[in-house]
Amino acid sequence: MNNVRSYQGLEPRIAADAWIDETAVVIGNVEIQPQASVWPTAVLRGDIHRIFIGAGSNVQDGSVLHVSHDSRFLPGGAPTIVHERVTIGHHATLHGCEVHDHCLIGIGARVLDRAVLRPRLMLAAGAVVPPGKVLQSGFMYIGAPAKPARTLTDLELEYLDYAAQHYIELAIKHRATAL
């Protein structure tokens, strides 16, 4: 696959049952776990640090995931770590950050270097999480910079699981169509 390629000896590691659209680009030090999916025109560029996509997570259309390199400005650099069953909405940007289990990243949201999103939260469409900011579980975050707007409802907490499962099932259907 030309859309999945190595960079300076760093090979993407992709689970056998992960699904990557043929128009998505995955480069270098990227690991994609079982039942994860990467949708059309998404870019995961692990050229200067690593990217990890956990089991059952999805990176939707047009999203960009990148990293920061080790330098005197950011010692150690910053990988991008997406834990399990995370839904990353269309055109989101994750850069050198960590997103824990069962989060939803809204359309066009931005999460910057060394920001951390704790499990089970929603980041609204267009929100921006500044470098180093830690968002706590159980809240809806909105704005730029992102601030907690309110506690998530029981229905929204249930939706976090539903969204991830929906994309697992949708990827299975796309994979079957592509064969």
Side-chain angles (χ1 to χ4, degrees):
M1 279 187 182
N2 193 31
N3 65 319
V4 176
R5 56 186 182 262
S6 66
Y7 175 76
Q8 293 189 339
L10 299 171
E11 293 283 339
R13 295 163 315 284
I14 300 167
D17 65 345
W19 182 73
I20 300 172
D21 183 84
E22 64 186 20
T23 65
V25 178
V26 177
I27 301 170
N29 191 1
V30 178
E31 181 176 349
I32 300 175
Q33 293 280 294
Q35 295 187 314
S37 57
V38 181
W39 295 84
T41 70
V43 175
L44 285 68
R45 185 161 56 96
D47 54 354
I48 55 176
H49 214 309
R50 71 186 182 101
I51 296 174
F52 176 86
I53 306 298
S57 290
N58 60 84
V59 180
Q60 294 177 19
D61 313 60
S63 291
V64 174
L65 279 65
H66 195 230
V67 292
S68 285
H69 69 284
D70 176 32
S71 71
R72 69 183 178 99
F73 304 103
L74 194 64
T80 294
I81 310 291
V82 175
H83 291 271
E84 294 186 5
R85 298 177 75 85
V86 172
T87 296
I88 300 171
H90 313 293
H91 290 276
T93 299
L94 276 62
H95 197 279
C97 60
E98 184 170 11
V99 180
H100 285 268
D101 299 345
H102 304 278
C103 287
L104 185 142
I105 309 302
I107 295 168
R110 307 286 185 253
V111 185
L112 303 177
D113 287 352
R114 294 192 176 162
V116 177
L117 279 59
R118 298 287 184 214
R120 296 195 173 279
L121 65 78
M122 287 185 172
L123 182 63
V128 177
V129 183
K133 179 92 172 162
V134 177
L135 304 186
Q136 299 302 321
S137 300
F139 291 94
M140 165 71 75
Y141 289 87
I142 63 171
K147 296 183 185 324
R150 61 178 172 73
T151 302
L152 293 177
T153 66
D154 288 342
L155 188 61
E156 288 168 329
L157 288 166
E158 189 178 323
Y159 182 76
L160 296 174
D161 295 325
Y162 168 82
Q165 186 61 39
H166 169 71
Y167 268 88
I168 289 169
E169 293 169 10
L170 190 58
I172 290 168
K173 291 175 185 174
H174 277 267
R175 169 181 281 226
T177 302
L179 296 178

